[in-house]
């Protein structure tokens, strides 16, 4: 078994995903501001075409990350699993849950003001991530309690 401190895995994979997601969120906010601009000399028909291109880029980045996560998980399963130190993972999940819901409310308000489908989609993504983190924290808590109940006694 390998531990999470010795290889890119669980919490680090989640960190990669979060970094890409934050970068795409910032890009989305910039694009939403750009799309609301009037046409100019360089872009006579406006900036509307940038939004679908950024959605395609975002989808491609997520696909690459999913392929990475799949092969990392497969390698971990073939190695017999990994031991996880739940202390840092729970703290990270708590911080990320608060951040996800904060980004959801901010981007939802901004997407309505800018009438941006990209920001609307990204806001829904933040909501689902926050909800998923809450669900996984509940599951982790139940697993820890279950493991304590099944510990051999001396």
């Amino acid at each position: 078994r390998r531990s999470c401190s010795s290889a890119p895995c669980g919490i680090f994979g989640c960190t990669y995903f979060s970094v890409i997601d934050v970068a795409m969120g910032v890009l989305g906010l910039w694009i939403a501001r750009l799309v609301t601009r009037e046409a100019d000399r360089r872009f006579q028909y406006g900036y509307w075409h940038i939004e679908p291109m950024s959605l395609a880029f975002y989808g491609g980045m997520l696909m690459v990350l999913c392929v990475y996560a799949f092969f990392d998980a497969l390698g971990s399963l073939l190695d017999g699993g990994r031991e996880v130190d739940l202390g840092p993972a729970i703290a990270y999940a708590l911080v990320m849950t608060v951040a996800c819901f904060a980004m959801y409310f901010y981007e939802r308000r901004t997407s309505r003001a800018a009438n941006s489908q990209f920001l609307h989609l990204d806001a829904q993504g933040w909501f689902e991530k926050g909800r998923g983190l809450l669900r996984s924290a509940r599951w982790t808590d139940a697993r820890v309690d279950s493991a304590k109940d099944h510990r051999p006694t001396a």
Side-chain angles (χ1 to χ4, degrees), residues 29 32 66 85 101-102 120 147:
L29 291 171
C66 286
D85 182 13
F101 284 120
H120 175 73

Side-chain angles (χ1 to χ4, degrees), residues 11 85-98:
I11 197 166
D85 182 13
L86 289 180
I90 290 173
Y92 175 81
L94 179 65
V95 169
M96 286 309 297
T97 300
V98 170

